[in-house]
Amino acid sequence: CDIEAGHGVIALQGRGNIVGGRVKAGRLIRVRNLGNDSEVATEVLLEAKNPQIKQLMAEIVEHRKALTQLVRTTGQDFSERRVKAAGGEAGSALKELAKEKNRLESLFRVKQKKVERLRKADRALGGAKIEVLDTIYPGVTLRISGKPFVVDHPMRNVTFMIEPSLDEIVHVQK
């Protein structure tokens, strides 16, 4: 069974087991049991990056390119005074270009603010982690932000996370 979620996977209802297949999430995986004593291959991945931020950043880059292209192509000053001075069709065209420039600038600002809010929320949540409330078994491979950890013996009531100073996955038993 393969499971993919943007932010997190929480499997606590019923048995709360994830056995076999691949589970992928952004920041959190919380389960009762991971794998089983038959050592069924189970892969657990945390990207630890908010996919919304990545998407918004790509959109911001596109808006910035469009805005730069607009200004570069026209080489125009879009001030009200300039539009009035141009008059007629040229003034109308400048007015339309000014509206497009304002629209792009507004979208750019709105998306930048969303990215700032998402980053602040991510910081408040802390780092990515995998919480196993009962047992994690051999046969489970963890990967947090690309860093691997292979479970070679059963562990109970344990949390896995990246230790920034070591740049590797550590586990803390409660």
Side-chain angles (χ1 to χ4, degrees):
C1 167
D2 289 348
I3 300 169
E4 189 166 338
H7 178 73
V9 173
I10 299 175
L12 300 176
Q13 297 295 326
R15 291 185 183 156
N17 296 341
I18 295 178
V19 180
R22 184 174 194 223
V23 179
K24 182 178 178 182
R27 284 207 155 280
L28 173 69
I29 294 177
R30 182 178 295 143
V31 299
R32 285 200 199 313
N33 295 294
L34 256 179
N36 65 12
D37 53 11
S38 297
E39 299 188 16
V40 172
T42 306
E43 186 179 17
V44 180
L45 302 120
L46 286 183
E47 293 299 317
K49 290 192 170 107
N50 189 324
Q52 287 178 297
I53 292 175
K54 185 176 180 180
Q55 176 63 35
L56 284 168
M57 290 304 292
E59 291 173 15
I60 286 170
V61 167
E62 289 306 311
H63 291 315
R64 175 62 77 198
K65 283 180 185 175
L67 191 55
T68 301
Q69 183 66 25
L70 177 69
V71 172
R72 223 182 250 153
T73 303
T74 62
Q76 295 293 327
D77 164 14
F78 298 109
S79 66
E80 283 291 321
R81 186 176 34 161
R82 174 87 171 141
V83 170
K84 284 180 184 175
E89 281 186 34
S92 294
L94 274 176
K95 193 171 187 177
E96 288 304 310
L97 288 171
K99 283 181 186 177
E100 179 63 7
K101 179 179 178 264
N102 290 338
R103 185 187 74 80
L104 288 169
E105 287 173 340
S106 177
L107 284 170
F108 180 80
R109 282 190 303 274
V110 165
K111 289 183 180 182
Q112 273 189 318
K113 285 180 183 177
K114 282 183 184 178
V115 166
E116 289 168 17
R117 283 194 305 269
L118 288 168
R119 284 184 173 152
K120 185 177 179 181
D122 276 357
R123 283 190 300 275
L125 288 171
K129 59 187 169 184
I130 299 167
E131 296 177 348
V132 182
L133 303 181
D134 194 357
T135 307
I136 185 168
Y137 295 91
V140 175
T141 301
L142 308 175
R143 193 172 297 277
I144 302 176
S145 297
K147 307 288 184 215
F149 184 92
V150 177
V151 178
D152 59 2
H153 65 279
M155 292 183 252
R156 296 182 56 81
N157 199 13
V158 64
T159 299
F160 297 87
M161 65 194 107
I162 294 284
E163 172 55 51
S165 63
L166 301 173
D167 197 31
E168 64 183 41
I169 296 177
V170 297
H171 54 86
V172 179
Q173 289 185 299
K174 298 174 188 168

